[in-house]
Amino acid sequence: QKEVEQDPGPLSVPEGAIVSLNCTYSNSAFQYFMWYRQYSRKGPELLMYTYSSGNKEDGRFTAQVDKSSKYISLFIRDSQPSDSATYLCAMSGPTSGTYKYIFGTGTRLKVLA
Amino acid sequence: NAGVTQTPKFQVLKTGQSMTLQCAQDMNHNSMYWYRQDPGMGLRLIYYSASEGTTDKGEVPNGYNVSRLNKREFSLRLESAAPSQTSVYFCASNTQGFADTQYFGPGTRLTVL
């Protein structure tokens, strides 16, 4: 079982839809949770960064962390064609005396105009 | 402020050839990382350098070597390239190691024939 599971998609939605992207994880030591956006043939860029459980909002983006369920989500409101990209979840925390930083495999999102 | 830069952008090698991928950052970051990204596998850490003068193995170090030349530069060397090393390689950097968000370069697309 992978430490971080993420549905690869692709996920196709019409413009203006609310998008929900999710990751599950197995390591309860993870403390920091990130969402990166990666456009085709580009490097990942940070979208959201949260510490521990709770919600964080930034414009049209909301990140949720539920540590009790080991589940994190990214919501995109009023989705735009420019949101079409691959979204990678990432998480980090202490494991066996060292620190781990693990990425999900990414979900491809396509927002149709 | 260029952020993280990588050279070359593309490279084709024959099996057994060697090459060095270059990475530089101008954000005064302490930590630097090399990842490879393969379809369905996500980003996997090859090597990292927590600070100038130190390097450590990541998840998939076999077949690679690294050099932290100074605070700005971190190179990745393939001594004898193999087709299994065909991938997209990303360099990243940050200030506070694995508890901190990472800033990625644009990537190097490597094909080994």
Side-chain angles (χ1 to χ4, degrees):
Chain A
Q1 184 194 3
K2 289 182 183 176
E3 278 189 284
V4 177
E5 298 274 3
Q6 186 175 9
D7 189 325
L11 178 63
S12 292
V13 301
E15 183 176 356
I18 296 175
V19 176
S20 172
L21 303 167
N22 311 294
C23 286
T24 59
Y25 63 95
S26 58
N27 189 342
S28 58
F30 287 142
Q31 298 171 325
Y32 302 90
F33 303 91
M34 284 68 65
W35 285 96
Y36 288 83
R37 178 176 61 197
Q38 185 175 21
Y39 289 114
S40 181
R41 296 183 174 264
K42 301 285 186 187
E45 56 178 338
L46 180 71
L47 264 183
M48 301 288 281
Y49 173 86
T50 53
Y51 172 69
S52 196
S53 283
N55 292 0
K56 185 173 183 180
E57 190 172 319
D58 184 1
R60 296 185 295 110
F61 299 90
T62 300
Q64 283 186 354
V65 175
D66 182 348
K67 289 190 74 177
S68 61
S69 302
K70 298 192 182 70
Y71 190 86
I72 69 170
S73 300
L74 177 70
F75 297 96
I76 307 174
R77 289 183 298 281
D78 187 24
S79 56
Q80 303 296 309
S82 58
D83 295 327
S84 298
T86 296
Y87 290 80
L88 306 167
C89 64
M91 46 202 77
S92 71
T95 303
S96 304
T98 184
Y99 237 86
K100 268 194 172 182
Y101 200 112
I102 304 288
F103 286 85
T105 53
T107 300
R108 275 181 51 207
L109 172 66
K110 202 165 192 177
V111 181
L112 306 170
Chain B
N1 190 339
V4 180
T5 56
Q6 292 183 236
T7 54
K9 286 188 168 51
F10 303 93
Q11 186 70 49
V12 178
L13 292 178
K14 293 181 180 176
T15 298
Q17 287 184 318
S18 62
M19 79 162 295
T20 299
L21 283 65
Q22 306 286 354
C23 173
Q25 51 90 10
D26 62 2
M27 296 176 282
N28 202 34
H29 285 163
N30 294 318
S31 304
M32 298 185 74
Y33 310 82
W34 276 106
Y35 290 91
R36 59 178 291 173
Q37 187 175 39
D38 302 290
M41 303 290 286
L43 283 158
R44 292 182 293 168
L45 183 65
I46 304 171
Y47 269 94
Y48 67 98
S49 171
S51 61
E52 188 178 354
T54 69
T55 59
D56 284 288
K57 295 178 180 178
E59 183 185 351
V60 288
N62 290 346
Y64 305 95
N65 284 302
V66 290
S67 295
R68 183 73 183 268
L69 304 168
N70 49 54
K71 191 171 186 180
R72 288 188 63 245
E73 299 172 287
F74 189 37
S75 63
L76 178 72
R77 183 159 178 83
L78 286 70
E79 291 290 352
S80 178
S84 60
Q85 294 178 305
T86 293
S87 187
V88 182
Y89 291 85
F90 289 101
C91 178
S93 70
N94 64 8
T95 301
Q96 293 180 350
F98 289 116
D100 191 11
T101 59
Q102 298 185 18
Y103 297 84
F104 284 82
T108 295
R109 291 186 171 270
L110 175 67
T111 301
V112 182
L113 302 174

